[in-house]
Amino acid sequence: MLINTLNSFVFKYIRFIEMLGVLMRIFSFSLVSWMGPESPFLFVWAFNTTDAVILSWCSILKKDSAYTLLNVFWIMVGIVGMLRAGQISLADFKSVGLHFITQVMALVS
């Protein structure tokens, strides 16, 4: 299975991958700190959400529930941040979400 292969790869290089995620987070928050209101917020949120996915995956493989919870929370915060940075309204998000769910259900049925 692909997921087992990916998990094996991540687990083999977990220290490097985890450090990459941490450096990505440091970079994204440093960018906001230095640039302030001129920060490319959509990029920062996308970058920060990506590092949260990386760090969540590592913490799940390490069975570290505290860091899993923390980083999954950051994924959710990142999704909201990207929606806000992209000026997507809650109504638009609900509409797209319902359309997506409908399409997935049609594929499954």
mmCIF file of all heavy atoms in Angstrom, residues 2-3 5 12 18 21 27 29 31 41 44 74 84 94:
data_model
loop_
_atom_site.group_PDB
_atom_site.id
_atom_site.type_symbol
_atom_site.label_atom_id
_atom_site.label_comp_id
_atom_site.label_asym_id
_atom_site.label_seq_id
_atom_site.Cartn_x
_atom_site.Cartn_y
_atom_site.Cartn_z
ATOM 1 N N LEU A 2 0.359 2.260 -0.645
ATOM 2 C CA LEU A 2 1.088 3.518 -0.745
ATOM 3 C C LEU A 2 1.284 4.165 0.629
ATOM 4 O O LEU A 2 2.370 4.660 0.936
ATOM 5 C CB LEU A 2 0.361 4.474 -1.680
ATOM 6 C CG LEU A 2 0.985 5.857 -1.835
ATOM 7 C CD1 LEU A 2 2.376 5.741 -2.446
ATOM 8 C CD2 LEU A 2 0.114 6.746 -2.683
ATOM 9 N N ILE A 3 0.239 4.143 1.451
ATOM 10 C CA ILE A 3 0.346 4.804 2.760
ATOM 11 C C ILE A 3 1.400 4.123 3.639
ATOM 12 O O ILE A 3 2.132 4.799 4.363
ATOM 13 C CB ILE A 3 -1.037 4.892 3.476
ATOM 14 C CG1 ILE A 3 -0.971 5.870 4.652
ATOM 15 C CG2 ILE A 3 -1.499 3.531 3.940
ATOM 16 C CD1 ILE A 3 -0.865 7.295 4.261
ATOM 17 N N THR A 5 4.081 2.591 2.537
ATOM 18 C CA THR A 5 5.372 2.993 1.973
ATOM 19 C C THR A 5 5.722 4.406 2.424
ATOM 20 O O THR A 5 6.864 4.676 2.821
ATOM 21 C CB THR A 5 5.322 2.924 0.431
ATOM 22 O OG1 THR A 5 4.928 1.606 0.045
ATOM 23 C CG2 THR A 5 6.659 3.245 -0.180
ATOM 24 N N LYS A 12 11.579 6.491 8.593
ATOM 25 C CA LYS A 12 13.023 6.311 8.386
ATOM 26 C C LYS A 12 13.769 7.646 8.496
ATOM 27 O O LYS A 12 14.863 7.721 9.042
ATOM 28 C CB LYS A 12 13.270 5.681 7.025
ATOM 29 C CG LYS A 12 14.719 5.411 6.723
ATOM 30 C CD LYS A 12 14.884 4.703 5.389
ATOM 31 C CE LYS A 12 16.343 4.437 5.094
ATOM 32 N NZ LYS A 12 16.516 3.761 3.796
ATOM 33 N N GLU A 18 10.949 16.119 10.585
ATOM 34 C CA GLU A 18 10.462 16.917 11.703
ATOM 35 C C GLU A 18 11.198 18.258 11.780
ATOM 36 O O GLU A 18 10.584 19.300 11.993
ATOM 37 C CB GLU A 18 10.649 16.129 13.000
ATOM 38 C CG GLU A 18 9.576 16.303 13.996
ATOM 39 C CD GLU A 18 9.675 15.298 15.130
ATOM 40 O OE1 GLU A 18 10.692 14.608 15.289
ATOM 41 O OE2 GLU A 18 8.702 15.234 15.877
ATOM 42 N N GLY A 21 9.879 20.585 9.170
ATOM 43 C CA GLY A 21 8.610 21.179 9.594
ATOM 44 C C GLY A 21 8.804 22.307 10.601
ATOM 45 O O GLY A 21 8.159 23.352 10.519
ATOM 46 N N PHE A 27 10.224 29.942 9.904
ATOM 47 C CA PHE A 27 10.288 30.854 8.760
ATOM 48 C C PHE A 27 8.980 31.616 8.576
ATOM 49 O O PHE A 27 8.976 32.837 8.400
ATOM 50 C CB PHE A 27 10.627 30.087 7.476
ATOM 51 C CG PHE A 27 10.522 30.921 6.243
ATOM 52 C CD1 PHE A 27 11.520 31.834 5.930
ATOM 53 C CD2 PHE A 27 9.431 30.818 5.398
ATOM 54 C CE1 PHE A 27 11.427 32.626 4.789
ATOM 55 C CE2 PHE A 27 9.327 31.593 4.265
ATOM 56 C CZ PHE A 27 10.332 32.507 3.965
ATOM 57 N N PHE A 29 6.532 32.296 10.734
ATOM 58 C CA PHE A 29 6.259 33.283 11.773
ATOM 59 C C PHE A 29 7.278 34.417 11.747
ATOM 60 O O PHE A 29 6.941 35.563 12.065
ATOM 61 C CB PHE A 29 6.212 32.627 13.157
ATOM 62 C CG PHE A 29 4.913 31.932 13.410
ATOM 63 C CD1 PHE A 29 4.833 30.544 13.422
ATOM 64 C CD2 PHE A 29 3.746 32.653 13.615
ATOM 65 C CE1 PHE A 29 3.624 29.909 13.631
ATOM 66 C CE2 PHE A 29 2.532 32.027 13.827
ATOM 67 C CZ PHE A 29 2.474 30.644 13.837
ATOM 68 N N LEU A 31 8.570 35.610 8.995
ATOM 69 C CA LEU A 31 8.136 36.448 7.886
ATOM 70 C C LEU A 31 7.058 37.427 8.330
ATOM 71 O O LEU A 31 7.123 38.620 8.024
ATOM 72 C CB LEU A 31 7.617 35.556 6.753
ATOM 73 C CG LEU A 31 7.335 36.201 5.413
ATOM 74 C CD1 LEU A 31 8.615 36.780 4.816
ATOM 75 C CD2 LEU A 31 6.730 35.174 4.467
ATOM 76 N N PHE A 41 -0.041 36.983 3.417
ATOM 77 C CA PHE A 41 -0.729 36.139 4.389
ATOM 78 C C PHE A 41 -1.225 34.813 3.825
ATOM 79 O O PHE A 41 -1.150 33.795 4.512
ATOM 80 C CB PHE A 41 -1.874 36.903 5.060
ATOM 81 C CG PHE A 41 -1.388 37.892 6.072
ATOM 82 C CD1 PHE A 41 -1.460 39.245 5.826
ATOM 83 C CD2 PHE A 41 -0.824 37.462 7.260
ATOM 84 C CE1 PHE A 41 -0.992 40.165 6.752
ATOM 85 C CE2 PHE A 41 -0.351 38.371 8.187
ATOM 86 C CZ PHE A 41 -0.431 39.719 7.935
ATOM 87 N N VAL A 44 1.776 32.624 3.737
ATOM 88 C CA VAL A 44 2.188 32.271 5.106
ATOM 89 C C VAL A 44 1.261 31.207 5.681
ATOM 90 O O VAL A 44 1.719 30.230 6.275
ATOM 91 C CB VAL A 44 2.237 33.525 6.010
ATOM 92 C CG1 VAL A 44 2.403 33.147 7.469
ATOM 93 C CG2 VAL A 44 3.357 34.449 5.573
ATOM 94 N N TRP A 74 -3.422 23.271 14.513
ATOM 95 C CA TRP A 74 -2.801 24.248 13.619
ATOM 96 C C TRP A 74 -3.244 24.051 12.177
ATOM 97 O O TRP A 74 -3.313 25.016 11.411
ATOM 98 C CB TRP A 74 -1.271 24.206 13.722
ATOM 99 C CG TRP A 74 -0.774 25.098 14.799
ATOM 100 C CD1 TRP A 74 -0.200 24.725 15.977
ATOM 101 C CD2 TRP A 74 -0.846 26.534 14.834
ATOM 102 N NE1 TRP A 74 0.088 25.836 16.723
ATOM 103 C CE2 TRP A 74 -0.295 26.954 16.038
ATOM 104 C CE3 TRP A 74 -1.321 27.489 13.949
ATOM 105 C CZ2 TRP A 74 -0.199 28.295 16.392
ATOM 106 C CZ3 TRP A 74 -1.229 28.817 14.290
ATOM 107 C CH2 TRP A 74 -0.665 29.214 15.501
ATOM 108 N N ARG A 84 -9.647 33.175 5.155
ATOM 109 C CA ARG A 84 -9.727 34.612 5.442
ATOM 110 C C ARG A 84 -8.768 35.407 4.573
ATOM 111 O O ARG A 84 -9.109 36.473 4.087
ATOM 112 C CB ARG A 84 -9.451 34.868 6.919
ATOM 113 C CG ARG A 84 -10.546 34.242 7.770
ATOM 114 C CD ARG A 84 -10.704 34.862 9.060
ATOM 115 N NE ARG A 84 -10.687 36.315 8.944
ATOM 116 C CZ ARG A 84 -10.879 37.121 9.934
ATOM 117 N NH1 ARG A 84 -11.122 36.636 11.115
ATOM 118 N NH2 ARG A 84 -10.845 38.412 9.786
ATOM 119 N N LYS A 94 -19.206 27.022 2.760
ATOM 120 C CA LYS A 94 -20.258 26.028 2.952
ATOM 121 C C LYS A 94 -20.757 25.496 1.615
ATOM 122 O O LYS A 94 -20.971 24.295 1.449
ATOM 123 C CB LYS A 94 -21.427 26.621 3.744
ATOM 124 C CG LYS A 94 -21.157 26.800 5.212
ATOM 125 C CD LYS A 94 -22.390 27.395 5.886
ATOM 126 C CE LYS A 94 -22.164 27.632 7.348
ATOM 127 N NZ LYS A 94 -23.346 28.244 7.981
#
